[in-house]
Amino acid sequence: MVVALIIACEVGFWVLLALGLAARYLLKWRRTSVFLLLCEPVLELVLFAVTAIDLRNGAEPGWEHGLAALYIGYTVAYGHYTIRWLDGHAAHRLAGGPPPPKAPRYGKARARHEGRLFARTLLGAAVALALLQGAAWYVGDGDVSSLRAFQWVAIRVAAIHGLVALGYLIWPKKDPAGTAAATPEAAKEREGARR
């Protein structure tokens, strides 16, 4: 049941997002759009409540409970970022807005961008770890090995992403000569390096 709910929450996320953006840019219903986009966190609350009820009713903690915690952590950390990113693209494509800024590709600007993404991953991992620890305490003396295994998954994902972000900091990718910078921030950085 929990796995089906995770899938339903993911589908619901994209359906609400599409409806919200369509209401905003195609129908020009700004309030309806805001309402639809604010319904997104309700999906995670429902998933959290159903998972807790499932454990309270005596379900043996399994991989599906761990996956639910990771999913909630991911959506807490990256949900708003994803909505904002898609909103920028929808504004450009559907409402004639300016093209959304691209992520920097080179130098310190790219390292800062990767650092910000890593901070989101840390937030997601922290939320997942807290939920999994809460579930382990809630279960008490039962077998919580699957919950502990998913805690290690969250830690490993954060560590791997941290190494990737650190790699961009230590070995920044050089801007090929003659190409334009991807962002104004990168252009300023290039101008400072020329002086």
Side-chain angles (χ1 to χ4, degrees):
M1 177 172 112
V2 175
V3 175
L5 187 59
I6 293 170
I7 294 168
C9 285
E10 181 65 13
V11 170
F13 175 85
W14 291 106
V15 168
L16 282 173
L17 183 55
L19 290 173
L21 294 177
R24 176 174 290 178
Y25 295 112
L26 296 177
L27 302 174
K28 309 293 187 218
W29 296 346
R30 183 144 178 89
R31 287 186 183 167
T32 303
S33 168
V34 169
F35 173 77
L36 288 168
L37 294 176
L38 287 176
C39 287
E40 298 277 3
V42 173
L43 297 172
E44 280 66 47
L45 292 175
V46 168
L47 178 60
F48 176 74
V50 168
T51 304
I53 290 168
D54 191 41
L55 289 172
R56 187 184 68 198
N57 289 340
E60 196 67 30
W63 64 271
E64 60 274 7
H65 300 103
L67 184 62
L70 290 180
Y71 177 80
I72 292 170
Y74 176 82
T75 54
V76 165
Y78 282 96
H80 180 69
Y81 176 80
T82 303
I83 291 170
R84 194 178 38 177
W85 182 81
L86 285 172
D87 185 49
H89 283 279
H92 173 62
R93 298 274 183 189
L94 302 175
K102 293 184 179 181
R105 296 176 60 192
Y106 308 107
K108 290 180 185 175
R110 176 61 185 254
R112 279 192 295 277
H113 174 73
E114 291 297 327
R116 286 190 294 270
L117 290 179
F118 172 60
R120 289 184 180 281
T121 300
L122 278 180
L123 172 63
V127 168
L129 287 169
L131 290 173
L132 290 164
Q133 187 59 47
W137 286 335
Y138 189 66
V139 170
D141 295 334
D143 179 24
V144 293
S145 59
S146 64
L147 300 177
R148 298 286 181 227
F150 272 89
Q151 283 181 318
W152 283 109
V153 168
I155 290 169
R156 282 193 301 264
V157 166
I160 290 168
H161 194 172
L163 291 174
V164 170
L166 186 62
Y168 279 102
L169 182 64
I170 296 172
W171 300 288
K173 188 175 178 183
K174 303 283 187 225
D175 187 4
T179 59
T183 64
E185 189 177 75
K188 288 179 190 175
E189 205 171 277
R190 274 186 22 198
E191 283 300 316
R194 288 179 185 163
R195 291 180 188 164

